[in-house]
Amino acid sequence: MVPQNLCQLCKCLFLSKLKVNSVNVAGLARRIHSSSQKLSDSESQEQTVQKCESEELPQNTENSDSGRLHIPVMLEEVVNCLSPQPGQCFLDMTFGAGGHTAALLERARDITVYALDRDPTAHSMAQQLAAAYPNQLQPLLGRFSQSEALLISSGVEPGTLDGVLLDAGCSSMQLDTPERGFSLQKDGPLDMRMDHDRCPGMATAADVVNALDRRALAAVLRAYGEERHARRIASAIVQARSIYPITSTRQLASIVAGAFPASALYARKDLLQRPVHVATKTFQGLRIFVNDELHELLIGLKTAEKFLRPGGRLVALSFHSLEDRIIKRFLHGIDITEKHNLGSKQKIRQALKNASKGEDTQGSPCGKSNSKWISIHKKVLTPQAKDIQTNPRGRSAKLRAAIKL
């Protein structure tokens, strides 16, 4: 069982910092990461796993495209927005399986790509691709928050990059590997760390669900998973862990499913009107919290701005509203921590109107006084029907591209 002092520490850290739907919430994850421990082995764990495995979950069509290599999302749109030219230098902040990077290297000759990823598996794939493009591809292992130091150590000066690609979210490789603990359809240890074992002191999803109290768990699921039944799910988790520690993905999925009537198990639908398991948002919320994804995203955007030259291009892909909201506000120069309301939309409209007229928006309460970007497209881009058919997992992608002023 989790030590009592760990539970109290996690509770105090969480409740003292939690601000729902604010990027500042992500900072708390780092506090828990530095103080949590691995769950101790329990004699009842084997019995628990056997019990949960006997409760078969219906197969979700969400993973009908699993088992394949990661397919780069909106590949053509990304390359066209970055518009690589011979001799230019780019940064791919989320290398993944290298689909976007490979396309850039093939589109223009003599370009240089710095390939960043926090996942050691992706970093190994980048090293393999680098062998095919000597002196053109340089793999970097680290998070967005480490990218500035990694770039400087690689000889890249601020204000020199021609383009940056930032592809938020997790990859199919992570979802399709049970040992990583991302997928609720594939039983494995409840891990969810994108860094895997590279940061052993980092809290796992199991640490979170076994340490936080009901109120804190509900806040995590509501803020990061946008789960409207967060309290019900948190109560079910707390009740289940009082009997046995929660250590596997199948356990957690079964616990969440048990909090709802059987008819509600796949009542939710995705954008393609396919059934989605009721625990999907719970897994999303835990993953975002464990990996400090929203805070890392904001730092990544700031790093991209710092290292891009004037006229350089930023392409950002997001996969849910929390990510897209941060990217949109950043590009329009709106305070990220400002409460989301209609006033934000009004500010964007007014800022765009003022910019088109060439007016000075400095000091205007409705202007984007600190914006340093001009959008390449008037509206956000989404995948085409043919792309969704080929890669259903990319159905919710949103692409925003801008040029640094």
Side-chain angles (χ1 to χ4, degrees):
M1 299 298 290
V2 180
Q4 185 66 25
N5 60 345
L6 175 58
C7 295
Q8 292 298 325
L9 178 58
C10 289
K11 176 181 177 181
C12 293
L13 289 175
F14 188 88
L15 297 180
S16 64
K17 294 293 184 180
L18 183 65
K19 293 182 180 179
V20 177
N21 291 328
S22 168
V23 177
N24 290 335
V25 181
L28 177 60
R30 300 192 304 277
R31 301 283 299 278
I32 293 183
H33 297 164
S34 63
S35 60
S36 61
Q37 308 175 22
K38 294 276 189 175
L39 290 172
S40 59
D41 294 332
S42 172
E43 294 180 353
S44 61
Q45 179 176 356
E46 183 176 355
Q47 298 176 355
T48 300
V49 173
Q50 292 175 351
K51 175 181 178 181
C52 293
E53 287 180 343
S54 65
E55 302 176 12
E56 291 294 334
L57 290 175
Q59 183 65 35
N60 185 0
T61 55
E62 169 71 19
N63 288 319
S64 61
D65 55 331
S66 63
R68 302 181 300 181
L69 288 178
H70 179 69
I71 301 175
V73 177
M74 302 181 69
L75 180 61
E76 182 178 349
E77 292 86 345
V78 167
V79 175
N80 288 338
C81 288
L82 289 173
S83 185
Q85 304 299 319
Q88 289 188 329
C89 185
F90 295 88
L91 168 63
D92 185 348
M93 301 191 76
T94 41
F95 178 81
H100 290 119
T101 291
L104 288 174
L105 291 168
E106 293 173 2
R107 176 66 66 92
R109 59 182 176 82
D110 298 328
I111 69 170
T112 301
V113 179
Y114 292 88
L116 174 73
D117 207 293
R118 65 191 293 179
D119 192 324
T121 301
H123 180 67
S124 297
M125 297 183 70
Q127 291 176 319
Q128 296 175 11
L129 184 61
Y133 293 91
N135 303 321
Q136 285 188 266
L137 178 60
Q138 182 165 345
L140 303 174
L141 178 60
R143 308 176 188 178
F144 294 159
S145 57
Q146 299 170 318
S147 59
E148 179 175 350
L150 290 170
L151 287 170
I152 291 177
S153 65
S154 299
V156 181
E157 297 294 332
T160 60
L161 294 178
D162 297 289
V164 174
L165 169 61
L166 196 158
D167 184 355
C170 59
S171 69
S172 293
M173 297 183 300
Q174 293 167 334
L175 290 171
D176 293 335
T177 305
E179 295 77 17
R180 303 297 300 272
F182 286 95
S183 176
L184 58 90
Q185 293 294 337
K186 299 176 181 293
D187 194 26
L190 192 57
D191 195 325
M192 297 193 190
R193 295 172 300 168
M194 290 183 175
D195 301 84
H196 202 26
D197 293 330
R198 189 170 68 89
C199 303
M202 180 178 176
T204 66
D207 293 325
V208 175
V209 298
N210 286 285
L212 294 183
D213 63 15
R214 183 190 63 79
R215 181 183 173 189
L217 274 174
V220 168
L221 302 184
R222 187 181 304 109
Y224 294 123
E226 299 179 295
E227 174 58 70
R228 63 180 181 273
H229 299 297
R231 290 184 180 179
R232 177 191 298 184
I233 295 172
S235 296
I237 291 174
V238 171
Q239 182 178 4
R241 78 186 188 196
S242 67
I243 303 173
Y244 49 78
I246 304 172
T247 59
S248 75
T249 56
R250 186 59 62 88
Q251 275 182 270
L252 180 59
S254 298
I255 291 168
V256 175
F260 295 87
S263 59
L265 186 59
Y266 281 93
R268 298 176 179 177
K269 306 292 183 181
D270 63 15
L271 294 178
L272 301 180
Q273 294 303 306
R274 303 184 305 176
V276 176
H277 194 277
V278 71
T280 299
K281 289 188 175 182
T282 297
F283 274 64
Q284 172 189 303
L286 289 172
R287 190 204 79 219
I288 294 175
F289 182 71
V290 165
N291 293 288
D292 203 8
E293 291 182 34
L294 300 187
H295 184 256
E296 287 287 327
L297 173 60
L298 179 57
I299 296 179
L301 291 168
K302 291 180 178 179
T303 301
E305 181 181 282
K306 181 175 182 177
F307 279 84
L308 277 171
R309 63 170 177 82
R313 295 172 174 241
L314 170 65
V315 175
L317 285 166
S318 61
F319 294 88
H320 55 75
S321 60
L322 298 177
E323 294 171 342
D324 184 58
R325 186 179 305 153
I326 292 173
I327 295 170
K328 180 172 65 175
R329 290 186 171 203
F330 179 83
L331 293 178
H332 287 290
I334 296 177
D335 186 2
I336 301 296
T337 60
E338 184 177 329
K339 186 176 181 180
H340 178 64
N341 51 35
L342 292 178
S344 299
K345 296 182 179 179
Q346 294 172 353
K347 291 178 181 180
I348 293 175
R349 294 192 188 101
Q350 185 63 42
L352 292 175
K353 182 178 179 180
N354 293 340
S356 64
K357 293 181 179 180
E359 297 179 5
D360 183 8
T361 59
Q362 183 67 35
S364 172
C366 295
K368 55 171 187 177
S369 58
N370 59 343
S371 179
K372 300 179 181 179
W373 306 91
I374 180 171
S375 298
I376 296 177
H377 306 98
K378 291 184 178 180
K379 295 184 178 180
V380 63
L381 299 185
T382 55
Q384 301 179 28
K386 62 178 182 179
D387 295 328
I388 295 177
Q389 185 176 8
T390 303
N391 183 20
R393 280 180 174 166
R395 63 190 177 277
S396 60
K398 291 185 177 182
L399 186 154
R400 296 186 183 273
I403 298 175
K404 181 179 176 181
L405 298 175

